Amino acid sequence: MLKAVGALALVALGLVLAGGDPVRPALAGLAAAALLGWALRDVVAPVRLAVGPDGLTVLRGFAGRRRLPWDAVEAIRLERRSRRGVTAETLEIDAGETLHLFGRRDLDAPLDEVAAALDEARPAR
């Protein structure tokens, strides 16, 4: 929702600041279209990660899904990086050939809780 409101604000700002210049509204329209595309992905594929007894389902591409059996999942890590006073957290799911990264906003939950839930759901090797 916030992305769609941001897109509308971009269009309005482009029109207000146009001053007779057609380039500013055009650039604002392009940026708004990209933001609306991103917002559309949230509507089409709201679930980025799903867990089941036989493995994980992750988002692939714009709205596709990929099934990862538990034996393909090599590691589940929570990475914390601090740079210039800002700490960023990322949940990494290493599936050998592929690495799936999720942020706090992707999963709409604290990443340490998600990592703990995934570890609990994962069968013992």
Side-chain angles (χ1 to χ4, degrees), residues 23-68:
V23 175
R24 288 181 186 166
L27 288 176
L30 285 174
L35 200 54
L36 279 175
W38 193 17
L40 179 65
R41 183 187 76 158
D42 292 346
V43 172
V44 172
V47 178
R48 308 269 192 271
L49 175 66
V51 62
D54 54 339
L56 301 172
T57 303
V58 295
L59 190 66
R60 178 178 165 187
F62 186 76
R65 303 255 182 252
R66 180 168 184 209
R67 188 85 182 125
L68 300 173

Side-chain angles (χ1 to χ4, degrees), residues 69-89:
W70 283 118
D71 4 342
V73 178
E74 293 179 6
I76 298 170
R77 291 184 293 274
L78 181 61
E79 290 289 325
R80 286 189 177 97
R81 293 189 173 94
S82 185
R83 183 175 179 174
R84 297 183 182 177
V86 176
T87 301
E89 286 187 334

Side-chain angles (χ1 to χ4, degrees), residues 78 80 89 91 104 107 109-119:
L78 181 61
R80 286 189 177 97
E89 286 187 334
L91 179 68
R104 167 83 167 87
L107 302 178
L111 296 181
D112 53 348
E113 292 177 13
V114 174
L118 290 176
D119 285 335

